[in-house]
Structures are given as C-alpha cells and as structure tokens.
Amino acid sequence: MTEESILEKMIPDVKLVMGGGAVVMLKARNTFVQVDQSTVCLLVLPVGGQSPFAILGNVAQQNMHVGYDLDKRTVSFASADCTTAYTSRPASL
C-alpha cells in the first residue's frame, strides 16, 4: 500500500469554509505530508499576529481546478484528477 493511500484511509477529508460561504473539501494528500515513516505534518498555518492573510498553498491546490471570475470577484474550486485531465506530447530531445 502506498504512503498516500495509507494517509487517505487514516485521515478524513477536511472541510475548508471560506469567506462568503464557499466550501472546499480537501483530501488527506492536500492537507498532510508524510516526512518520514513515523512523522506526518499538517500543512495548515494559523492566521493572525503578523500574518493576517490565509494562504491556500500549492499542496492544497493539487488535483484541483481553480477558477477565477474577475467580474464577479469570486474564486471557485473543483476536484480533478490532473494525471488524466490533460494529454501532453512527450518532450522532444
């Protein structure tokens, strides 16, 4: 069993509620990272103090389609399997 599938079985999805009521469901692979055989770290930082802004980092956004509507000033998220979402040609040598 891979490390990712072990994490997926042990850790439930995390519901991230954003301002305006938007909800993003994050899988274990988007919220935790296994740094060695006995250590798993949460990839979420508190907001406050000298850092008043929340950042949805690159790990949280993996396998997500992120949409930006500049006119409505909204951001949307949708789960995706980015390994199969796009086809690409092999790099030429």
Side-chain angles (χ1 to χ4, degrees):
M1 193 175 290
T2 67
E3 289 177 10
E4 183 174 301
S5 62
I6 293 170
L7 284 179
E8 295 286 335
K9 289 182 181 289
M10 294 174 37
I11 300 170
D13 292 349
V14 172
K15 182 189 290 188
L16 178 63
V17 180
M18 311 206 99
V23 176
V24 179
M25 294 299 290
L26 298 174
K27 300 285 185 191
R29 68 179 168 262
N30 300 98
T31 53
F32 291 87
V33 65
Q34 186 160 5
V35 293
D36 61 37
Q37 285 192 341
S38 62
T39 306
V40 175
C41 292
L42 177 64
L43 299 173
V44 177
L45 297 173
V47 176
Q50 293 182 343
S51 177
F53 301 103
I55 297 173
L56 189 60
N58 65 327
V59 173
Q61 293 181 54
Q62 290 177 5
N63 285 313
M64 291 277 202
H65 287 191
V66 182
Y68 302 94
D69 187 325
L70 300 178
D71 294 329
K72 293 181 183 176
R73 299 179 53 96
T74 59
V75 179
S76 60
F77 299 88
S79 294
D81 180 354
C82 294
T83 62
T84 61
Y86 302 100
T87 57
S88 62
R89 297 187 323 223
S92 58
L93 298 176

